[in-house]
Amino acid sequence: MEEQNLFQRSRALSQVEMRKAQHSGACYAEHAHDEFSFGLIDQGRARYLNHRNYYDVGQGTLVTINPGDTHACNPEAGVWSYRMLFVNTHWVAELQAEVGGSKLFDYQPFEAAFCTQSPLIEQRFNRLYDYLQHQDEGGLAETALISFLAPLFANTQHQEPTLSQGIVRAHTLLLDRLGENIPLEELANEAGLNRYTLLRQFKQAYGQAPHVYQIDQRIRRAKRLLREGESLADTAATLGFADQSHFQRHFKRRVAITPRQYQQAC
C-alpha cells in the first residue's frame, strides 16, 4: 500500500492539529513540540525515546508527550501507521484550571510521558479522532477531547458531582434549542459552572455528556418525524444537522440502519 502522510488542523476545533501516517517509513531525529501531543499506533512497531528512556511500542499503544519534551519515535522494521493529535498548550492550561478548581499560572504536565494499551482508550481515541475531522461535530469533539485529557494529568482534584439547578437549566436549554449547535461554553455559563464540572455533573444526572445527549434526543425526535412522513431533508434541517449526510451518520450509529430504511420499514 502507498505511503500516506497527512497533517491538518482539525475542522471541528481550531486548537487541535492532526497527523495521520499510513505505511510510513519516515524516521525522525530527536525533537520537541510546543503543544501537548498524544497519539495511537495503528499498525507496526516502533522504538520510542522520551527523556532518555526507551519504550517498545506497538499496535494499540497510546503515547503522551509534554510540551518541550525531547523525543523520537521510529519504526523498528520497515513501516508503521499512527495518528497524533497536537493540542494548544494555553487551551490545555485553561482546562486544567477547571479540572483542579483554581487558576493555574502555568500548565501541568501529563502525569507521565507514558505508553499504555487499553481497548477502552483505543476506542475513545478513535471516537475523538473521528469527531475532530468533521466541521459539524464541534460540540462532540470538544466534549470528547476534555473527557479524554482530564484524567491524564497529575494532581487534579475531583469532587463528587451533585445535581444542581444549574444542570437542570443546561438540560432545559438543550431541549428548548434542540435544533441548534449550542457551544459548550454557553451551556456552562447557563449552569453557572466551568466546562469540566458541567460535563461531570450532566453525565451523572442524565447518563451522557450534553452534546451526546442532545444528539440522542435529536435522533429520538427524528424517528417520530420520519414515522409521521416528514422528508429526510426537512427532518435533518429541523433538527439542526448540517446536511443529510451528517444526519445519516448519527442516525445509523444509533439505530443501525439509515433514516430512509427506517422510514420505509415504518
Side-chain angles (χ1 to χ4, degrees):
M1 187 175 293
E2 185 178 352
E3 178 177 343
Q4 294 183 358
N5 286 284
L6 303 175
F7 188 83
Q8 64 185 39
R9 187 171 297 278
S10 166
R11 299 179 66 193
L13 292 177
S14 62
Q15 302 91 343
V16 182
E17 294 177 339
M18 312 170 68
R19 180 188 296 278
K20 183 176 183 179
Q22 290 184 294
H23 302 280
S24 173
C27 292
Y28 298 92
E30 295 182 20
H31 62 287
H33 303 292
D34 292 330
E35 306 86 4
F36 280 90
S37 53
F38 59 99
L40 190 76
I41 298 174
D42 294 313
Q43 187 178 21
R45 299 197 63 82
R47 186 78 163 162
Y48 172 48
L49 167 67
N50 190 310
H51 276 311
R52 299 186 180 180
N53 294 316
Y54 282 95
Y55 306 86
D56 291 315
V57 295
Q59 183 175 344
T61 302
L62 179 85
V63 299
T64 63
I65 306 169
N66 289 308
D69 280 0
T70 300
H71 64 282
C73 198
N74 298 306
E76 284 188 345
V79 299
W80 64 327
S81 300
Y82 65 91
R83 288 166 292 160
M84 291 292 299
L85 298 175
F86 305 87
V87 187
N88 178 273
T89 299
H90 178 70
W91 186 91
V92 173
E94 291 184 335
L95 170 63
Q96 291 173 338
E98 296 178 10
V99 174
S102 62
K103 185 64 178 176
L104 302 175
F105 292 104
D106 203 351
Y107 63 81
Q108 291 177 317
F110 284 121
E111 187 166 8
F114 70 97
C115 313
T116 186
Q117 283 187 309
S118 161
L120 178 59
I121 288 179
E122 184 174 359
Q123 182 184 55
R124 291 172 60 213
F125 182 90
N126 290 338
R127 183 168 59 244
L128 169 60
Y129 198 94
D130 182 55
Y131 288 152
L132 288 168
Q133 294 181 90
H134 298 287
Q135 186 174 2
D136 49 31
E137 304 286 31
L140 292 173
E142 186 177 21
T143 297
L145 181 60
I146 291 173
S147 299
F148 193 96
L149 285 178
L152 300 181
F153 300 113
N155 303 319
T156 54
Q157 300 174 359
H158 299 280
Q159 297 176 349
E160 283 300 315
T162 56
L163 182 62
S164 65
Q165 288 302 309
I167 293 297
V168 173
R169 290 196 301 271
H171 177 259
T172 301
L173 180 62
L174 276 180
L175 296 185
D176 288 347
R177 296 164 55 185
L178 192 60
E180 298 181 39
N181 295 313
I182 305 171
L184 187 61
E185 185 175 358
E186 183 177 348
L187 287 173
N189 289 339
E190 180 71 16
L193 302 168
N194 64 51
R195 296 169 302 169
Y196 175 71
T197 305
L198 169 72
L199 290 176
R200 286 195 298 121
Q201 294 193 12
F202 195 100
K203 188 171 184 178
Q204 186 192 45
Y206 300 106
Q208 295 171 305
H211 288 95
V212 179
Y213 179 87
Q214 185 186 41
I215 292 292
D216 272 0
Q217 294 299 312
R218 287 180 180 179
I219 298 304
R220 291 174 63 182
R221 183 80 57 86
K223 290 167 70 175
R224 179 170 62 81
L225 292 175
L226 292 173
R227 289 196 301 269
E228 294 173 353
E230 192 78 28
S231 72
L232 271 64
D234 287 346
T235 299
T238 297
L239 294 175
F241 292 101
D243 50 36
Q244 289 191 56
S245 175
H246 185 209
F247 173 40
Q248 177 169 300
R249 186 164 69 244
H250 282 289
F251 193 97
K252 194 172 181 179
R253 282 176 182 169
R254 290 159 175 79
V255 188
I257 57 176
T258 67
R260 186 176 302 279
Q261 290 169 332
Y262 178 84
Q263 190 172 52
Q264 291 172 345
C266 292

